[in-house]
Amino acid sequence: MEKMNFDKEEFKKEVVNNVKNMYRKTLDEASKQQVFQAVAYTVKDYIIDRWIASHKQFEKDDAKTVYYMSMEFLMGRALGNSMINLTCYKEVREALDELGFDLNVIEDEEPDAALGNGGLGRLAACFLDSLSSLGYPAYGCGIRYRYGMFAQKIEDGYQKEIPDDWLRDGNPFEVKRAEYAEEVRFGGYVRSYTDENGREHYVQENYQCVRAVPYDLPVVGYGNNIVNTLRIWDAEPIQQFNLSSFDKGDYQKAVEQENLAKTICEVLYPCDDHYAGKELRLKQQYFFVSASVQRAVKKYKESHSDVRKLYEKVIFQLNDTHPTVTVAELMRILMDEEKLTWDEAWEVTGKACAYTNHTIMAEALEKWPIELFSRLLPRIYQIVEEINRRFVEEIKAKYPNNQDKIAKMAIIYDGQVKMANLAIVAGFSVNGVAALHTEILKKQELKDFYEMMPDKFNNKTNGITQRRFLLHGNPLLADWVTKKIGDEWITDLSQISKLKVYADDELSRKEFMQIKYRNKVRLAEYIKEHNGIDIDPRSIFDVQVKRLHEYKRQLLNILHVMYLYNQIKANPNMEFYPRTFIFGAKAAAGYRRAKLTIKLINNVARVINNDKSIDGKIKVVFIENYRVSNAEIIFAAADVSEQISTASKEASGTGNMKFMLNGAVTLGTMDGANVEIVKEVGEENAVIFGLTADEVIRYQNEGGYNPQEIFNNDQEIRQVLMQLINGFYSPEDPEMFREIYNSLLYDKKPDVYFILKDFRSYAEAQKKIEKMYLDETGWARSAMLNTACSGKFSSDRTIEEYVNDIWKLDKVKVELD
């Protein structure tokens, strides 16, 4: 690790100058936002030198580069993370103190970059951090969304989506690279012609097009002078304004191209429960893929003459199915522009593309209607059609007269283009993201592909960056860890296992729990400020923060809270250690049942938090607009990490790892990476409940579960469910939660996520948590061991596995002049 040479006086002078030059103000006249901008531009100066040096070194070494293709990158705030990785965080804090500013306040002026939403995007962000910190050349490729998915407001308990205007004050870290703009084409038709050598060529005509303009964001490596690039593409019209149409009174046509461009980059994951939404999603995917692949090929050609060897220097990693069109776009460029034959182009594509599967849920493996796909991307569809034709011939050769295999494996079938199938067929690597997930892919969802091409399949268990989620997010604990074992853990998290010996030291346990308490006070203050609710930092902080989806079972959690409340009301003197149940989640705008679950959580919170008779034994908090910046505060304060997805449904999860790193005890099912967390920390230091993945899969395949039996035979569960429809939590509309009630008991397939089946096991697990917490010594030991056993779950380890097994990159060393 190379410590940055930081000149405090020079830094202060630059901040003052930036305020003067940018805003025509003195420092004492500047707003907090203006000071943030000035500080960010000062830090950016340090970054730019390293950024230029990094890319010069990449070119000098002729280094192979990974292009990480992803619809989302949930980066969080850039200023603090950049300063941490530049190794000047404490020095900047001192400099700002001397100028009269609190760094925490200045950091709070930066909005979270609205480029992602859930675990998929946060994983991509952690991977970029690790790639830079390990010294591997990389580009993250995505879209510069103007309003992200949405900013969440809670009004009367309901989620309200408002535009996340994160670019309102500008983004000081981005650099517009107009010189690298690319043209992206939609629609029209394909004309073919034969050249003098008898070879057929294809030309797309009468198309609409937009100009893709890249904005580069720096991704700073920790203490190694490496800066990689997150390249996000914005859409601009090819012709800004049609004056001729305007003068003729055709105002709509005058701005037609501008509107097409504007729409593409407006929001992440536009609602796709209608045709226009589906079309926009496909446009977005092709837009950033086409621009990224075009630019990657051109960059390669700047220093290489033979495009048939592209795969030796370029690798495209497809982060889930969204960027799968990379396969066909690369084929198009290689054949139509570089004039390679099909076989030559297919060999390059097959060696340059790799696919990460992030979901076991069949409905999340993207499929596009042929009509939409072929109309919007006519040349791409032709190429996919030919890939499919050739692959179906392979299936027939290997499995003669087996129509069932074709139905399951064909890329185009039953009126749909299946993107996961395309990614598997074309790429050389298919990986799952946790050991259990990969096994389920091989034995269940992708079984036919695994049987036909087993060598492609491998596992890469997800990871998180300790630099953001411990060093930056939990500075008290980070300093304590460094004091105990040194700072090598910052770049090698396996070193954190050296903490294990301190778990049996009484003084160390006290210090650890005192840090936890201070972090709980910090979160309590945040909740008081943002929710107006007083919570007791001495209570158990039981936390579930993640995207809201039925399989993640926030519903199980809140039904159990209702159950506990009934217990306390019926037995006011029962022994009960106070709990604070903390939720944070966004539901997709069109996901009605998920949004109704948010309303239920908030209505339950309103009733319980205002019931003075229970003397604060339970508090329920829903944290609005869950995002990376408040997640850091939440992870540091949690006692209990709720990882309660239906077994077999969660591919991996990474929130579970962030909680573990910060000393929370996992309460969960044997699902996703929970399996590996329990293996690392030991069963005695986690609390596991519920059906296993095999049991869930067996019930799904063979039946045999009837939730109505549980409803009829368990009076306490029946009481909880009846409260959904008797107005107990919605006196103004007793029918408000009828849909949730019906989903558990009376839908065509009731309780598909086994909430009632797992309820009693979950309630017992919660009792066990309380018992463990009451044993102060035992709890402190378990909490410490969770931190000490988290070494496996660094994204640094994951990236090294990708590099060694899939990407075959070489490390680059950068020396500054």
Side-chain angles (χ1 to χ4, degrees), residues 554-738:
Q554 286 92 345
L555 181 58
L556 173 60
N557 190 342
I558 197 62
L559 291 176
H560 176 257
V561 172
M562 293 159 62
Y563 161 81
L564 285 181
Y565 180 57
N566 291 340
Q567 297 274 297
I568 292 169
K569 292 295 281 184
N571 309 286
N573 298 320
M574 69 182 271
E575 284 187 19
F576 186 86
Y577 193 90
R579 309 271 181 92
T580 301
F581 293 95
I582 297 167
F583 295 83
K586 287 182 179 179
Y591 194 170
R592 192 182 67 247
R593 194 173 292 169
K595 292 171 78 170
L596 191 59
T597 304
I598 290 175
K599 173 63 172 167
L600 175 62
I601 292 166
N602 283 304
N603 276 26
V604 171
R606 185 180 64 195
V607 170
I608 291 177
N609 295 345
N610 289 304
D611 185 345
K612 291 186 170 53
S613 75
I614 64 168
D615 198 24
K617 286 176 182 169
I618 302 177
K619 288 286 178 80
V620 181
V621 177
F622 189 95
I623 291 179
E624 183 181 79
N625 205 31
Y626 177 59
R627 58 200 186 278
V628 176
S629 53
N630 58 21
E632 294 178 34
I633 300 169
I634 295 165
F635 292 132
D639 292 310
V640 179
S641 163
E642 292 263 5
Q643 308 299 329
I644 60 176
S645 55
T646 308
S648 83
K649 302 299 180 190
E650 186 72 83
S652 167
T654 50
N656 44 10
M657 302 168 190
K658 293 158 197 163
F659 281 115
M660 180 191 195
L661 178 63
N662 283 276
V665 172
T666 298
L667 167 59
T669 52
M670 281 301 238
D671 197 23
N674 293 355
V675 177
E676 290 160 83
I677 285 173
V678 171
K679 188 178 176 185
E680 294 297 307
V681 78
E683 288 182 19
E684 67 280 9
N685 297 306
V687 178
I688 297 301
F689 75 95
L691 297 172
T692 65
D694 286 343
E695 288 168 335
V696 167
I697 290 165
R698 194 158 53 248
Y699 275 124
Q700 286 174 330
N701 293 339
E702 299 169 15
Y705 166 51
N706 181 3
Q708 289 185 25
E709 284 181 13
I710 295 172
F711 177 79
N712 291 332
N713 295 323
D714 190 320
Q715 187 180 338
E716 290 171 333
I717 289 178
R718 187 164 65 252
Q719 181 188 6
V720 168
L721 293 195
M722 291 307 295
Q723 287 171 335
L724 292 172
I725 56 167
N726 65 12
F728 190 87
Y729 290 104
S730 55
E732 70 282 13
D733 178 9
E735 289 292 303
M736 183 178 288
F737 303 115
R738 171 72 66 176

Side-chain angles (χ1 to χ4, degrees), residues 382-399:
Q382 284 183 340
I383 292 166
V384 173
E385 214 171 26
E386 180 61 12
I387 295 171
N388 179 64
R389 186 190 69 76
R390 292 173 181 235
F391 181 57
V392 168
E393 290 303 315
E394 286 182 43
I395 299 172
K396 286 177 179 174
K398 193 168 178 71
Y399 307 103

Side-chain angles (χ1 to χ4, degrees), residues 15-25 34 37-39 41 172:
V15 171
V16 172
N17 281 338
N18 281 342
V19 168
K20 182 178 75 175
N21 293 330
M22 292 166 70
Y23 303 110
R24 206 206 64 185
K25 286 184 177 179
Q34 288 168 340
Q37 294 277 345
V39 170
Y41 275 103

Side-chain angles (χ1 to χ4, degrees), residues 97-145:
D97 275 346
E98 291 173 17
L99 289 172
F101 295 99
D102 179 345
L103 177 54
N104 291 336
V105 173
I106 299 305
E107 281 194 68
D108 282 343
E109 285 297 308
E110 181 180 5
D112 284 50
L115 301 172
N117 171 49
L120 185 83
R122 185 53 235 173
L123 182 80
C126 285
F127 278 7
L128 292 184
D129 179 273
S130 288
L131 280 158
S132 292
S133 295
L134 293 166
Y136 295 116
Y139 279 90
C141 301
I143 295 177
R144 185 178 182 260
Y145 302 104

